[in-house]
Amino acid sequence: MTTTVFPAFRTTDAAATIELLVTLGFTERLLVRNEQDPALVDHAEFALGDTGGIMFGSVRNDGSALDSVGGSSIYVVVDTEREVDRLYQEIVDMGHAIVRPVATQDYGGREFDFRDHDGNSWGVGSYRGA
């Protein structure tokens, strides 16, 4: 059995979230826009590789736990340290707040952390875990 984890969150700016995910290497699997307001996303699934991915939707103000925007923490694993460095520059160029600059870690891999437009914490690195 293959275990898959799909972090799920809500966003205040679906277009900015989609741009960020595409920059990080995610591909669209499913995108359901709101019929009354196509700028809003009712449900989206973006894949990373064969088994990983993220689900998100626009804020709905429905009182659910997911409507607490900005509390998610996500780590994205990329194949090489060169890819980490390339993505770091792209994230800087996009204007996201860098929390921890790109650096090689004592435990292995190269990583950096940033916050997105909603305040979610993202880590990007080549470390795949022990």
Side-chain angles (χ1 to χ4, degrees):
M1 179 172 117
T2 300
T3 302
T4 302
V5 175
F6 280 89
F9 59 91
R10 300 261 172 90
T11 181
T12 60
D13 187 338
T17 297
I18 291 168
E19 179 184 20
L20 173 60
L21 292 174
V22 169
T23 297
L24 292 172
F26 287 81
T27 56
E28 180 183 317
R29 272 196 188 147
L30 176 66
L31 182 62
V32 180
R33 295 206 178 261
N34 184 281
E35 289 183 14
Q36 286 75 40
D37 184 353
L40 300 177
V41 170
D42 287 338
H43 179 76
E45 297 175 18
F46 278 68
L48 185 63
D50 294 331
T51 60
I54 284 184
M55 291 187 231
F56 76 91
S58 295
V59 171
R60 297 186 181 127
N61 298 313
D62 62 3
S64 74
L66 285 177
D67 260 355
S68 299
V69 174
S72 295
S73 179
I74 302 157
Y75 180 70
V76 177
V77 179
V78 298
D79 288 333
T80 66
E81 291 184 358
R82 177 177 283 170
E83 183 72 356
V84 173
D85 291 340
R86 183 188 68 75
L87 287 171
Y88 178 77
Q89 191 56 55
E90 286 197 40
I91 294 301
V92 167
D93 291 347
M94 291 174 79
H96 291 290
I98 300 299
V99 174
R100 188 171 52 109
V102 67
T104 300
Q105 304 303 313
D106 293 339
Y107 51 82
R110 191 158 171 80
E111 302 173 341
F112 69 92
D113 295 334
F114 69 97
R115 290 202 185 277
D116 70 12
H117 56 279
D118 284 323
N120 294 306
S121 177
W122 293 79
V124 176
S126 58
Y127 181 71
R128 294 189 173 278

